[in-house]
Amino acid sequence: MKLSGLVIAISLTGMLVSTAAYSQGAPVVRASGQSGSETVQERLDRLERMLAGRTQGQAEMMEQLNRLQRELSDLRGTAEEHAHQLEQILQRQRDIYQELDRLAEQLRSGAGASATTAAPSLTTSSVSFSENRSENADYDRAVALVLQERNYDQAIPLFHSFLETYPGSSYTSNAHYWLGQLYYAQENYPDAITHFTTVVEQFPDSSKRADCILKLGLIAANQNNRDRARRFFNQVRSEYPNSTEAGMAARQLEGL
């Protein structure tokens, strides 16, 4: 009996110790709904401050992202503008070389005619020579306004006047080409298309036809007509595969 009583006493003692330890480790829940020393309202305030801080951080990150996107857009626009300016410079150099070749050929032809041709009729010869000089002088004057003086506004009516005065001139296709270039530089695309198309359709042997097709493609690309732009760029590559214009058309196709 003494042994049984001792066992019972030890068991009761262990239960009391476990109960006391559990009671000490459990959180104290107040009648007001508090956990520890922080009230529900305090916890809500703390969570609201955390949420407000996170929202502000997200807003700052979004503003930074928008600023970077704007800067990237500006850089892209600047790069496209520089590429366009470079293209215009290359085009102007190409035009100058073509005009120099034309003038050199004109001088060679004139020298050969003077050395080998007799003038059976001074009056007829003078009239013919005078008409040729006038035609050349008027055309050269219009081209000089573009290449040398860069007076584009005055060059446009001068080329129109040339076409009216010399409808059958050998420079007709060139005059249409220059008008297309001038209107293209002014972003007057309808008139530019008219003159470029005239060269493409009516002057298949023109040395400027490839560039006219290329320009029609560039205009279509600027107007977001990608299908039309591709047709013109592919036409340049197909009809003038080894030309500078074909290389430019290939680069344009990569960007579409």
Side-chain angles (χ1 to χ4, degrees), residues 92 141-152 155 159 178 182:
R92 183 170 178 271
R141 174 56 182 160
V143 172
L145 286 173
V146 178
L147 299 180
Q148 298 176 11
E149 301 178 26
R150 300 185 182 181
N151 191 338
Y152 305 146
F159 276 115
W178 284 114
L182 292 168

Side-chain angles (χ1 to χ4, degrees), residues 131-145:
E131 289 178 352
N132 190 35
R133 285 180 55 190
S134 177
E135 180 180 339
N136 287 332
D138 288 349
Y139 178 77
D140 290 343
R141 174 56 182 160
V143 172
L145 286 173

